[in-house]
Amino acid sequence: MGHPIVDKVVREGLQSINVSMLSPEVRLKLMTEAGNTLMRMSRFKEAAHAFALAENKEALREHGNWFLKQNKYGLAAHFLLHVEREDRMQRLAQDCIAAGEVEAAKDIYESLGDQVMVHFLRENFKS
């Protein structure tokens, strides 16, 4: 077993803890460990969130680019959402739509504040 906080994240989810009270160093260490554990469990969206909480931009880019190379645009979006430039995210959102990964595209457009595209996707691609 790992650190008790990491175990709690894996067992109960990221919403089960409040990392704001942790020092940046401790948060980086624990949330990176949680992200790596979640990656091994194929819980990719949660892993991306853990790396984002850790502010581990290197891990976010590395995993996001790894998924991009495999043409897994939706998974890549969860990681790159936190670290990439707006123009690159716009292109990734279009790739997600073309691949039928509309939820990931919606997440990208929401993060970019593009409510017109979010509304368009909601109206035209009901889930």
Side-chain angles (χ1 to χ4, degrees):
M1 298 303 291
H3 189 280
I5 291 176
V6 173
D7 293 343
K8 182 176 174 86
V9 166
V10 170
R11 202 175 46 253
E12 300 174 28
L14 286 162
Q15 74 285 351
S16 69
I17 59 161
N18 179 355
V19 298
S20 66
M21 293 175 267
L22 300 174
S23 72
E25 297 80 21
V26 171
R27 187 172 55 234
L28 173 66
K29 179 183 180 295
L30 294 178
M31 291 301 97
T32 295
E33 183 181 333
N36 288 331
T37 301
L38 292 165
M39 286 294 293
R40 287 190 296 278
M41 299 172 78
S42 299
R43 291 166 59 185
F44 303 122
K45 190 172 183 177
E46 291 172 275
H49 188 203
F51 291 133
L53 286 173
E55 296 182 23
N56 190 335
K57 292 179 176 32
E58 183 180 323
L60 289 164
R61 275 198 184 89
E62 182 181 317
H63 292 298
N65 287 327
W66 185 75
F67 283 121
L68 267 184
K69 288 178 184 162
Q70 298 178 50
N71 296 326
K72 294 183 178 179
Y73 303 113
L75 291 174
H78 295 301
F79 293 88
L80 297 176
L81 190 57
H82 305 282
V83 292
E84 283 299 337
R85 296 182 326 266
E86 184 174 334
D87 60 325
R88 186 161 185 218
M89 292 312 297
Q90 290 278 359
R91 284 193 304 277
L92 182 54
Q94 293 166 7
D95 290 338
C96 287
I97 293 168
E101 299 184 56
V102 177
E103 285 304 311
K106 263 194 258 182
D107 290 345
I108 292 170
Y109 287 124
E110 283 176 354
S111 77
L112 297 174
D114 189 339
Q115 292 306 311
V116 172
M117 281 305 295
V118 170
H119 182 72
F120 173 81
L121 293 174
R122 278 196 187 118
E123 290 299 310
N124 293 289
F125 297 92
K126 306 265 189 226
S127 41

